[in-house]
Each structure stands twice: as C-alpha cells, then as structure tokens.
Amino acid sequence: MLDGFGLATLIAAPGGAAALSQTVEARLGIALPTTPKIASGAAHDAIWSGPDQWLLRAATRDAFGSLLESLSAQAAVSDQSDARAAMRLSGPRVRDILAKGVMLDLHPAAFAVGDTALTSIAHIGVHLWRLADGPDGSVFEIMVARSMVGSFWSWFAASAAEFGCQISIDRSTGRG
C-alpha cells in the first residue's frame, strides 16, 4: 500500500482545460495529459480520468490544501486523499495475475509505460497505470475505493497463488 499521499479530482470548467493545464504546469512543472496517460513531476502526478478530468496526486499532504484552493478558481476540486487506496504491484508474473481480472490487454505493446485506464478488476472499479519497468519486470499502480481494498487484495493474492507467486510486504515501508 502507498500511504501519505494527497489526492484530488480536478474537473476543468467548461472550455477551461487549457488554462487549468497552464496553471498546473506553471505551479508543478507538469502538463495535464489530454489522453489516458499519467504525467509525473518531482512531487506530483497528473492522472487522466476522462475528458477535462484528472486525479492530482501529491507525494505528501504538506501544503496540498492550499494548492487545491488555488486551483479551485479554474476547476471543480474535490480532495480524495482519504477515499482511495493505492497499491504498487510488480513482479515477473504481475501482468498474468492482473489479466485474470481485467478486460484490458496489458502487454507492453498495447499498454505502454505511462498509460492509464479506468476499468474494473474482478468487478471492483479501479484506476490503473503502468510505471517504468523495475528489476522484476512490469510495474503497475492501482487505485481503488478504500472500502474495496480488502476485496481487491484478497482477489489479487488468490490470483497470484495460481502462478506459484507469494505476496510479500516490504518490511521497511509496510508496502506490498
């Protein structure tokens, strides 16, 4: 599990997506993606969520409220920091495991680094994206409603077991 981040939805005012993107780029150094992609900066990510809609994620919640307040003149802003849980999943079989529940082609040729999708996995609504590959292969981040994280984790662990995989928690961070 990834913890301590700030998360908000941004929905641009009608006709205001370009101006909002310029403001975000000036403040955070990242442009809001116009296609299903994630744009990452030093401390923030902008994750496409639909036409003129994004998730804005901050590495920490420090000063996140004031950032959101400054963006509220150009967008409908809703703090989602406590509403969603995020997990980073990786390993040599992670695509095979996810393929058991997701109706997307996660092959690197079809779902490249930086791609994002709103979909469902095992009937649970998720937002997922692909990060740069790690030493063990593909890396995905998945965001689910906090109330559904236990169900997702149970499904993932059971799906991993079929491939002889074991779920491990990074003891230094408490992350899976």
Side-chain angles (χ1 to χ4, degrees), residues 107-170:
H107 188 277
F111 200 78
V113 170
D115 283 352
T116 185
L118 289 161
T119 188
S120 64
I121 296 177
H123 306 289
I124 299 167
V126 302
H127 201 156
L128 77 112
W129 50 91
R130 184 162 170 233
L131 300 176
D133 291 349
D136 294 333
S138 297
V139 178
F140 294 89
E141 282 190 1
I142 297 180
M143 195 163 290
V144 301
R146 191 166 296 280
S147 62
M148 296 302 294
V149 73
S151 296
F152 178 84
W153 197 247
S154 291
W155 171 85
F156 186 78
S159 296
E162 177 185 336
F163 297 104
C165 300
Q166 293 182 345
I167 305 301
S168 63
I169 303 293
D170 183 336

Side-chain angles (χ1 to χ4, degrees), residues 98-99 101-105 119-121:
L98 291 173
V102 70
M103 300 297 284
L104 297 171
D105 183 352
T119 188
S120 64
I121 296 177

Side-chain angles (χ1 to χ4, degrees), residues 1-169:
M1 294 284 276
L2 303 173
D3 294 318
F5 60 89
L7 183 72
T9 56
L10 302 178
I11 302 174
L20 176 61
S21 187
Q22 288 173 348
T23 299
V24 170
E25 189 167 7
R27 298 264 334 250
L28 306 176
I30 53 174
L32 297 175
T34 57
T35 60
K37 299 281 184 188
I38 179 173
S40 297
H44 295 85
D45 301 309
I47 306 154
W48 185 89
S49 297
D52 299 341
Q53 299 180 42
W54 302 267
L55 288 177
L56 179 63
R57 182 172 65 173
T60 70
R61 294 185 191 186
D62 297 337
F64 192 58
S66 61
L67 171 63
L68 298 182
E69 188 175 324
S70 72
L71 296 175
S72 67
Q74 295 178 296
V77 178
S78 178
D79 192 330
Q80 299 290 313
S81 300
D82 294 322
R84 302 201 191 164
M87 295 158 274
R88 183 171 293 151
L89 307 172
S90 65
R93 303 296 304 263
V94 70
R95 278 189 295 119
D96 297 326
I97 296 165
L98 291 173
K100 292 181 57 130
V102 70
M103 300 297 284
L104 297 171
D105 183 352
L106 297 177
H107 188 277
F111 200 78
V113 170
D115 283 352
T116 185
L118 289 161
T119 188
S120 64
I121 296 177
H123 306 289
I124 299 167
V126 302
H127 201 156
L128 77 112
W129 50 91
R130 184 162 170 233
L131 300 176
D133 291 349
D136 294 333
S138 297
V139 178
F140 294 89
E141 282 190 1
I142 297 180
M143 195 163 290
V144 301
R146 191 166 296 280
S147 62
M148 296 302 294
V149 73
S151 296
F152 178 84
W153 197 247
S154 291
W155 171 85
F156 186 78
S159 296
E162 177 185 336
F163 297 104
C165 300
Q166 293 182 345
I167 305 301
S168 63
I169 303 293

